[in-house]
Amino acid sequence: MAIVLMDNRLFVLHTQNTTYAMGVDERGVLRHLYYGAKIDRAADFMHALTHPIELWENGSDQVMEEFSSFGCLRNKETSLKIAYADRTRDFRYRLTNCETAGDELILTLRDEEYAFVVRLHYRVDEHHDIIRRWVELQNDGDAPVRVDRIFSAEIALAGEGYQVLNVSGVWAMEQQLHADPITAGKKVYESMAGCTGFSNQPWFAAYRQADERAGDVTFGCLAYTGNFKVIAECVPYHYLNVTLGISDTDFAMPLAPGAAFVTPEVYLGFTREGLDGMSRMMHAFEHDELMPVARRDVPQPVLYNSWYATEFDVFGEEQERLADKAAEIGVEMFVIDDGWFGQRHSDRAGLGDWYVNPEKFPQGLGHLIDHVHSLGMQFGLWIEPEMVNPDSDLYRAHPDWVYRYGKRPIIMGRNQYALNLTKPEVVDYLIATFDALLSSYAIDYIKWDMNRFMAEALDDAGNDGMVWYNHSRGFMRLARALRQRHPNMSFEACAGGGARVNAETLSLFDQFWPSDNTNPLDRCRIQEGYTMMYPAKYMRAWITDDSRLSTSFRARCAMCGALGIGSNLNRLSEKELAELKEEIALYKRIRDTVQFGRLYRLRRLETNSAQIWQYVRGGQCVVITLVDHAAERLAPVCLQGLEPQALYQVGEGERAYVVSGAYLMNCGLITAGNRDRSGTVLILNRVEGA
Ligand code: GLA
């Protein structure tokens, strides 16, 4: 049974391979007892619950809690901070109800003196080994309550010596992995960008001894596309406490009498198979449970984006010629980026005016789309809905639609202002505008960009403590409406690169643009961090021009995800075009395995002279090796995730050979030649008998 309740005080959740236990002790505290490898016998945890703990006066920090609140002599970071109308500022609760509904457990904590209720929700996904957690607040009183912090989950890990993994990044160098030991004090990962931003990610992985391949890892991933906060704290009473949810920096939520609030979800997991095990669990869960169903099993087409070829000088006829060249080399989707609309001749004007520029497209956009379709390709278009240039018709008509502070000049970012999405009429206008655009043309794909962060954060309803939250909800309402009205269209989320990569956006979009940086060696590091939580299918990766690096090296780095081409096809020689054509053909042979397979990051570029990634799906295994310095000769690498008894044909043609899965996993194979900056794709196919 997935959920076991004992004596209305012990609660044990089982997935296939993990157990999560909590219970109410004699003082009424809901204690966290265990999260880790499976322990079938739920009754064992009664011992942990009744085992007397000698408490000091400052007792609350001494025990691991399931949901802690500011106050009551606590010194650690907590999940909740509220203020009642009479200025009482703590939450003292009794567990008043526990109920299950299918795979969900709901624990109700009610304040002992005030009519305020917290419901802790746990949904057990046995198959994926994931526990979904979220919190619901309800003000049952007749006076408003101010909520200064409400996180989605709190996870305590017993013992000391943990490291916590997250990323650190900037524009064009996103997703740089950092594992930091938390031996004293605390570490905070946060965004104040109004979206996920570049700096950190809304997830954590905590472990004592783990690498890609093995070791116990506990992790949590927040599904929220606004300002988030993750705090990992070494509580001196021998445990690591991790809290995560909506950032409470510049947050204050008035909860009116009768009102309720539901937090975003956190997906929690535990694995013994190291960081790769964590990634594989999340990739499978995201595919099966989060991704938009209409496109979830559709492979990403090879796309060509003409941005680097023409930038803002977009003209219908030239785009048609580019489309001809793209079709010739095997591209499946042709995309026009920025510069097709309004008076958009540079990034200084036109943003907000979403009509096709008639001088740039004298025959209309439909003419180009028909041409692209006649070549057998899909058609895609770039938009940036949430922004406006001051030099635009939209801004001239609605100067009050942007965020601004009183008399101050508005802070400019990339010559544009952020539209105030806390105004319902702005979101309604954007839904109508983009719905009309998407309905007027036979568009197959949208690249949805967002190129500046919010600076002046003022909520339309005067609720400034909610402005960041309300802004992110405005974005979600807009995205959801367009998705619902155009269910078969493919949407890509981009934010000046990877500032909008998160598990909530993943539930409405079909792919992400991880970074504006397409240099292969930088990309290896970005992709390493990116795939910790998000799948290769969602990782758009372009081949772009760089005469210092071979086509195959650039291409094979991009093949680690969903391949795209950003090269200026007008400038490429016939030889280079032929090379691209060959690389695209190769990618089409491995694409299903790369996009839907299980990923094993056998070697990291950061710690080796090469990156080696392996993907396995059914009987096919693909190994992509990117060598930086061949001087350090590559040792054989042991593959993973194959069937030991099965036979695999390694490579193709005359030099192909057949060996067993056991050989490949234990003796290993050399995956690459001896050249600096070279990329190799090795295809292994399971074969019968021999
Ligand atoms: C951002 C994106 C780029 C491109 C430009 C267009 O920088 O990240 O890929 O779309 O905008 O202005």
Side-chain angles (χ1 to χ4, degrees):
M1 245 206 311
I3 304 175
V4 182
L5 276 60
M6 294 181 78
D7 297 346
N8 284 338
R9 61 181 296 213
L10 177 67
F11 314 103
V12 181
L13 313 176
H14 293 299
T15 67
Q16 259 190 89
N17 298 299
T18 72
T19 294
Y20 188 109
M22 60 204 142
V24 180
D25 69 12
E26 65 288 352
R27 296 176 306 143
V29 174
L30 180 60
R31 278 168 50 189
H32 177 76
L33 303 175
Y34 175 78
Y35 187 28
K38 193 150 187 178
I39 299 175
D40 286 310
R41 193 166 178 270
D44 289 354
F45 293 103
M46 210 45 115
H47 161 77
L49 201 54
T50 50
H51 189 70
I53 293 184
E54 245 180 75
L55 296 174
W56 301 84
E57 190 188 358
N58 181 0
S60 303
D61 281 355
Q62 279 186 56
V63 292
M64 303 194 297
E65 289 180 274
E66 198 54 32
F67 180 81
S68 64
S69 160
F70 170 84
C72 303
L73 294 172
R74 286 185 187 89
N75 194 48
K76 66 184 175 190
E77 292 287 342
T78 56
S79 291
L80 177 73
K81 183 163 184 274
I82 49 171
Y84 292 118
D86 67 359
R87 296 170 63 202
T88 296
R89 295 199 297 138
D90 62 9
F91 174 68
R92 299 186 201 175
Y93 63 83
R94 282 277 157 253
L95 183 123
T96 55
N97 194 32
C98 52
E99 56 190 297
T100 56
D103 54 7
E104 194 172 323
L105 168 71
I106 306 165
L107 301 179
T108 303
L109 311 179
R110 186 174 287 275
D111 193 301
E112 290 175 324
E113 275 83 26
Y114 295 82
F116 190 77
V117 171
V118 173
R119 285 194 192 86
L120 307 181
H121 292 258
Y122 302 80
R123 229 177 106 193
V124 183
D125 185 335
E126 280 187 87
H127 171 69
H128 293 102
D129 274 324
I130 296 285
I131 294 172
R132 296 173 172 225
R133 269 191 74 171
W134 69 99
V135 179
E136 188 187 342
L137 303 179
Q138 194 174 314
N139 180 4
D140 283 344
D142 47 20
V145 175
R146 196 187 70 229
V147 180
D148 293 321
R149 170 187 283 190
I150 176 58
F151 286 152
S152 299
E154 179 167 348
I155 305 104
L157 285 81
E160 280 153 346
Y162 286 99
Q163 308 191 45
V164 172
L165 183 72
N166 200 295
V167 303
S168 167
V170 291
W171 173 77
M173 214 54 206
E174 295 87 340
Q175 306 277 1
Q176 304 301 297
L177 289 168
H178 286 269
D180 292 309
I182 316 276
T183 51
K186 52 193 140 184
K187 179 120 191 152
V188 179
Y189 307 94
E190 189 171 20
S191 163
M192 285 305 295
C195 60
T196 301
F198 297 119
S199 312
N200 305 136
Q201 270 283 313
W203 55 259
F204 76 92
Y207 48 89
R208 282 194 272 218
Q209 276 181 330
D211 55 20
E212 270 70 15
R213 195 179 172 136
D216 289 4
V217 179
T218 305
F219 61 91
C221 177
L222 175 73
Y224 182 57
T225 187
N227 291 350
F228 67 86
K229 193 180 242 182
V230 180
I231 309 173
E233 179 175 11
C234 175
V235 182
Y237 297 100
H238 313 294
Y239 62 94
L240 180 81
N241 210 45
V242 185
T243 43
L244 68 163
I246 298 169
S247 172
D248 60 343
T249 304
D250 201 31
F251 175 86
M253 173 170 62
L255 208 56
F261 179 77
V262 179
T263 68
E265 290 187 3
V266 166
Y267 311 121
L268 284 179
F270 168 85
T271 176
R272 298 229 119 138
E273 292 180 15
L275 296 172
D276 280 7
M278 168 183 84
S279 303
R280 284 192 296 275
M281 277 167 76
M282 278 306 289
H283 297 171
F285 171 74
E286 285 162 337
H287 173 272
D288 298 348
E289 302 297 322
L290 304 185
M291 290 180 184
V293 173
R295 305 203 60 85
R296 166 178 90 178
D297 296 310
V298 181
Q300 308 282 23
V302 175
L303 71 72
Y304 176 72
N305 182 306
S306 61
W307 170 244
Y308 289 125
T310 56
E311 296 215 335
F312 294 99
D313 296 328
V314 175
F315 291 100
E317 226 172 281
E318 189 186 4
Q319 295 294 321
E320 287 189 14
R321 297 294 72 81
L322 279 166
D324 293 340
K325 288 191 175 173
E328 177 55 32
I329 59 172
V331 164
E332 297 161 316
M333 180 156 67
F334 182 81
V335 182
I336 296 191
D337 209 275
D338 201 348
W340 58 268
F341 53 90
Q343 294 306 310
R344 187 76 169 163
H345 304 293
S346 73
D347 64 11
R348 299 192 161 273
L351 211 49
D353 301 338
W354 299 105
Y355 62 88
V356 178
N357 182 305
E359 282 96 52
K360 294 187 173 193
F361 292 89
Q363 294 177 287
L365 182 64
H367 188 271
L368 172 66
I369 297 176
D370 288 347
H371 182 72
V372 168
H373 284 159
S374 75
L375 293 166
M377 294 188 293
Q378 299 175 38
F379 178 79
L381 203 59
W382 179 96
I383 59 173
E384 190 174 1
E386 305 140 75
M387 298 290 154
V388 65
N389 282 124
D391 183 2
S392 67
D393 295 342
L394 181 67
Y395 183 71
R396 283 183 281 273
H398 298 285
D400 55 324
W401 276 13
V402 301
Y403 289 107
R404 67 168 77 233
Y405 280 156
K407 297 177 187 163
R408 294 199 195 286
I410 304 172
I411 292 175
M412 194 83 96
R414 209 197 185 204
N415 301 307
Q416 62 200 48
Y417 298 154
L419 287 171
N420 186 337
L421 300 191
T422 70
K423 285 180 186 286
E425 67 270 29
V426 174
V427 177
D428 291 342
Y429 169 85
L430 294 173
I431 293 173
T433 302
F434 287 99
D435 183 31
L437 175 73
L438 304 192
S439 305
S440 314
Y441 296 97
I443 297 169
D444 305 294
Y445 153 97
I446 282 294
K447 177 178 170 192
W448 181 320
D449 211 337
M450 200 276 279
N451 277 312
R452 68 153 293 177
F453 300 137
M454 286 159 67
E456 299 86 359
L458 279 190
D459 184 71
D460 188 47
N463 235 337
D464 292 335
M466 288 300 278
V467 59
W468 301 96
Y469 177 79
N470 288 340
H471 178 84
S472 75
R473 295 312 88 187
F475 160 69
M476 285 299 285
R477 182 159 79 85
L478 172 59
R480 193 169 290 119
L482 295 178
R483 178 100 229 178
Q484 274 165 1
R485 292 177 197 197
H486 304 275
N488 295 318
M489 199 171 281
S490 180
F491 288 85
E492 174 171 341
C494 168
R500 199 172 248 164
V501 174
N502 62 71
E504 187 179 36
T505 306
L506 182 141
S507 68
L508 282 180
F509 286 73
D510 307 290
Q511 53 200 297
F512 293 124
W513 180 232
S515 179
D516 280 352
N517 183 346
T518 52
N519 172 288
L521 292 168
D522 290 344
R523 266 290 172 131
C524 282
R525 293 185 171 88
I526 292 167
Q527 295 179 173
E528 183 89 37
Y530 177 99
T531 52
M532 277 293 152
M533 275 300 152
Y534 311 109
K537 181 180 183 229
Y538 263 57
M539 190 171 74
R540 257 299 161 198
W542 296 357
I543 307 170
T544 55
D545 298 332
D546 185 338
S547 55
R548 295 163 305 173
L549 301 169
S550 68
T551 305
S552 62
F553 183 59
R554 286 177 282 128
R556 283 150 201 211
C557 176
M559 283 187 206
C560 292
L563 182 70
I565 318 291
S567 297
N568 185 347
L569 298 183
N570 285 331
R571 289 219 199 111
L572 295 190
S573 65
E574 287 304 318
K575 179 174 169 280
E576 286 165 323
L577 286 170
E579 282 171 359
L580 269 188
K581 188 173 180 170
E582 247 177 64
E583 296 298 328
I584 291 172
L586 170 62
Y587 181 69
K588 287 178 183 169
R589 293 174 52 213
I590 62 170
R591 139 170 67 194
D592 284 0
T593 306
V594 168
Q595 293 188 14
F596 299 103
R598 299 189 306 279
L599 172 64
Y600 300 83
R601 288 170 297 231
L602 305 179
R603 274 197 199 148
R604 284 181 65 177
L605 190 57
E606 202 176 327
T607 38
N608 296 280
S609 57
Q611 175 186 286
I612 307 178
W613 281 13
Q614 179 200 347
Y615 306 79
V616 182
R617 182 172 188 253
Q620 192 179 65
C621 165
V622 171
V623 183
I624 303 180
T625 303
L626 297 155
V627 176
D628 183 5
H629 302 296
E632 289 171 53
R633 206 182 131 68
L634 281 175
V637 62
C638 292
L639 303 190
Q640 294 178 44
L642 303 178
E643 286 175 41
Q645 305 308 329
L647 296 177
Y648 293 85
Q649 176 178 311
V650 182
E652 288 155 329
E654 280 176 10
R655 301 182 67 183
Y657 58 93
V658 173
V659 282
S660 66
Y663 176 88
L664 292 164
M665 292 194 290
N666 296 302
C667 190
L669 80 164
I670 306 254
T671 64
N674 251 342
R675 271 191 302 121
D676 279 5
R677 310 274 156 97
S678 63
T680 316
V681 173
L682 203 55
I683 302 175
L684 286 76
N685 282 312
R686 200 169 53 207
V687 289
E688 294 304 319

